[in-house]
Amino acid sequence: MWNNAKDRMLRERATEVIPGGMYGHQSVALMPEDTPQFFIKAEGTRITDVDGNVYIDFMCAYGPNLLGYNHPDVMRAVSDQQSRIDASTGPSPLIVDLAEAMVSMISHADWAMFCKNGSDATMMALMIARAYRGKRKVLVARKAYHGSMPWSTPRPAGVVDEDRAHVIYFDYGDPQSLKDAVVSADGDLAGIFATPYRHDVFADQSMPDREYAQVARDLADEHDALLIVDDVRAGFRVTRDCTWESIGVRPDLSAWGKVLGNGQPISALMGNNRARDAASQIYATGSYWFAAVPMAAALETLRIIRETKYLEDMHRIGKAFRDGLNAQAKDIGIGVRCTGPETLPMLQFEDDPDFRVCYGFCRAAMKRGVYLSPYHNMFTNAAMTETDIAQTLEATGAAFEEIKSNRASLQPSTKVMAMTGS
Ligand SMILES: Cc1ncc(COP(=O)(O)O)c(C=O)c1O
């Protein structure tokens, strides 16, 4: 029987010693009531919370779990490397092997730099774009997430206007808005940040339009600025290359993270020869950026990406999940919208302005052992099987029944409404 007694106790303790009880994207403040905050085990497709409840995990650590938690080949590479060298006085030869492997896989790229988190990679992209011609303005799509640094964090606390003085916003997917933003850069354009597809929170996801992507490329060329694709979230879940390669538009820089080490801490910035000099001029580093163990994990993850049909399997399984949800919703007469790539599915409900139905649904699924998000795109992984999807759909089928029968008692998600301004 599901219970969360230990989780509640830990939350109380956390409130005393961790600001706000928890911070950042893994805080459950925006998740449905009772969503567990603390976990003690992750294996394959499953996570176990501190009370021992097991979930099929459709958040995948918010992305890093690509091949299954504790993938045996990746973990073998980790333990082999651990016995030799990890963080040390200089990088291991693996940094060259890994740069070569990434350069051979990412078509637009001639070089690689490694760091820890996606925010490090996007920050380096920003610095390189400015170092490139000494210009200042960067264009960023409204509501697009590029990490938690002051220039991009979604919350205003601790950010001063000067941190964003040279950021100009445009509407994602709208060529005219992009052109207008370039005009307002007034000859001072350093770079254009592009999200590979629109994956904002609380919003339908939409795939990039080739024309829009080409306009971004042309504008960058015309103004001798750098085009940056932020593949931190979508990388290797859409293609085995930079995501925009599939629509035939090549950036100068692309930012990578999350999946790269299948859960081991490593991210990357990839770039072309145009950006090489600027990249060699910036000073960006960190005590753990050169550690060898995550690089060993990344090399093994990349080998699996190249040599197996993990991506095709993920698309098939993701489609089964999406088709199943759509069929259940239709049968029961509840309107849903499933958007985004099948490997990064987003679920929203029709006629749900205060999110009560979506939150009620995810809570009901959670109590039946399926961890979903009501506001963020979800993630599938290559360890998921047809059996996992059948078990998932059993839980979601019951969750649909539950929200249909108790719709009148579902509570509006006031915290969410306050945050989204709904
Ligand atoms: C598109 C995108 N860029 C950058 C980041 C920042 O990555 P990290 O949280 O590893 O710093 C994220 C994280 O979710 C992301 O989705």
Side-chain angles (χ1 to χ4, degrees):
M1 190 63 185
W2 188 91
N3 90 91
N4 64 350
K6 288 185 183 163
D7 195 73
R8 277 170 193 257
M9 271 164 46
L10 268 168
R11 283 200 208 199
E12 270 174 39
R13 285 170 53 201
T15 307
E16 295 295 317
V17 290
I18 297 174
M22 195 52 61
Y23 50 90
H25 67 294
Q26 292 201 350
S27 159
V28 290
L30 274 183
M31 289 294 276
E33 202 191 331
D34 288 339
T35 299
Q37 177 68 83
F38 299 99
F39 293 86
I40 51 169
K41 191 174 169 200
E43 188 71 36
T45 58
R46 304 300 205 264
I47 46 175
T48 306
D49 73 19
V50 69
D51 288 280
N53 306 299
V54 180
Y55 307 89
I56 302 178
D57 175 22
F58 281 86
M59 289 313 287
C60 294
Y62 284 78
N65 175 20
L66 178 72
L67 305 172
Y69 289 112
N70 282 341
H71 187 281
D73 296 345
V74 178
M75 294 319 285
R76 201 170 305 115
V78 165
S79 60
D80 285 356
Q81 188 57 41
Q82 236 151 13
S83 64
R84 291 193 285 272
I85 187 168
D86 187 18
S88 178
T89 306
S92 83
L94 293 187
I95 193 168
V96 183
D97 297 341
L98 185 57
E100 286 172 350
M102 282 294 280
V103 166
S104 74
M105 291 170 72
I106 309 307
S107 303
H108 80 84
D110 299 306
W111 53 261
M113 293 168 83
F114 299 102
C115 33
K116 286 290 111 179
N117 288 290
S119 302
D120 304 332
T122 54
M123 177 197 69
M124 276 204 286
L126 176 83
M127 291 170 73
I128 291 169
R130 286 177 172 160
Y132 174 62
R133 290 290 179 255
K135 293 191 273 182
R136 294 176 297 176
K137 309 286 180 196
V138 292
L139 274 40
V140 174
R142 270 181 202 91
K143 295 191 179 163
Y145 185 61
H146 296 296
S148 58
M149 300 283 173
W151 71 273
S152 59
T153 179
R155 304 239 178 112
V159 177
V160 295
D161 289 348
E162 286 80 355
D163 289 324
R164 313 244 167 131
H166 300 294
V167 179
I168 301 173
Y169 298 96
F170 64 93
D171 294 328
Y172 186 85
D174 180 345
Q176 190 54 49
S177 173
L178 194 51
K179 287 178 190 166
D180 294 346
V182 170
V183 170
S184 56
D186 198 18
D188 198 15
L189 183 66
I192 302 175
F193 269 87
T195 309
Y197 73 93
R198 186 172 184 239
H199 51 45
D200 307 350
V201 291
F202 293 111
D204 286 349
Q205 318 285 285
S206 54
M207 299 313 283
D209 168 82
R210 197 187 176 287
E211 184 210 333
Y212 158 73
Q214 190 60 52
V215 167
R217 177 69 272 171
D218 293 346
L219 287 170
D221 290 343
E222 218 174 288
H223 295 266
D224 199 14
L226 299 184
L227 177 63
I228 304 144
V229 166
D230 179 356
D231 246 334
V232 169
R233 194 178 312 180
F236 295 136
R237 271 196 168 85
V238 177
T239 61
R240 290 177 174 82
D241 201 328
C242 176
T243 305
W244 272 16
E245 196 64 28
S246 51
I247 52 169
V249 175
R250 288 193 174 164
D252 301 297
L253 301 172
S254 58
W256 297 75
K258 296 197 183 275
V259 300
L260 214 51
N262 198 51
Q264 299 301 308
I266 183 159
S267 58
L269 184 71
M270 307 298 300
N272 62 13
N273 280 332
R274 193 178 173 197
R276 189 189 288 264
D277 278 355
S280 62
Q281 284 162 29
I282 65 160
Y283 187 76
T285 187
S287 298
Y288 291 99
W289 282 19
F290 304 91
V293 168
M295 294 191 184
L299 277 163
E300 185 58 15
T301 303
L302 293 180
R303 184 195 66 75
I304 295 168
I305 287 172
R306 285 193 308 270
E307 294 180 7
T308 69
K309 55 183 187 45
Y310 85 100
L311 188 58
E312 293 69 26
D313 290 345
M314 280 175 68
H315 279 293
R316 195 187 69 254
I317 290 294
K319 184 171 183 319
F321 176 48
R322 169 172 299 182
D323 290 350
L325 282 178
N326 276 328
Q328 288 177 332
K330 193 166 175 225
D331 282 355
I332 206 159
I334 294 178
V336 295
R337 296 191 307 281
C338 295
T339 58
E342 288 132 356
T343 50
L344 294 126
M346 178 82 176
L347 173 66
Q348 291 179 287
F349 283 70
E350 304 285 0
D351 307 321
D352 190 25
D354 56 18
F355 304 97
R356 68 177 74 193
V357 183
C358 195
Y359 272 69
F361 174 80
C362 291
R363 183 166 183 252
M366 184 265 293
K367 296 222 166 160
R368 291 170 173 84
V370 173
Y371 193 103
L372 305 174
S373 174
Y375 74 91
H376 195 288
N377 71 266
M378 296 178 274
F379 301 85
T380 65
N381 64 71
M384 286 177 169
T385 62
E386 268 87 8
T387 310
D388 294 319
I389 298 303
Q391 281 177 23
T392 298
L393 291 174
E394 208 175 297
T396 54
F400 275 122
E401 298 280 356
E402 184 178 313
I403 54 165
K404 181 161 185 164
S405 62
N406 71 0
R407 192 166 187 145
S409 64
L410 294 173
Q411 296 300 311
S413 292
T414 43
K415 240 183 308 182
V416 171
M417 291 165 70
M419 199 195 132
T420 56
S422 326

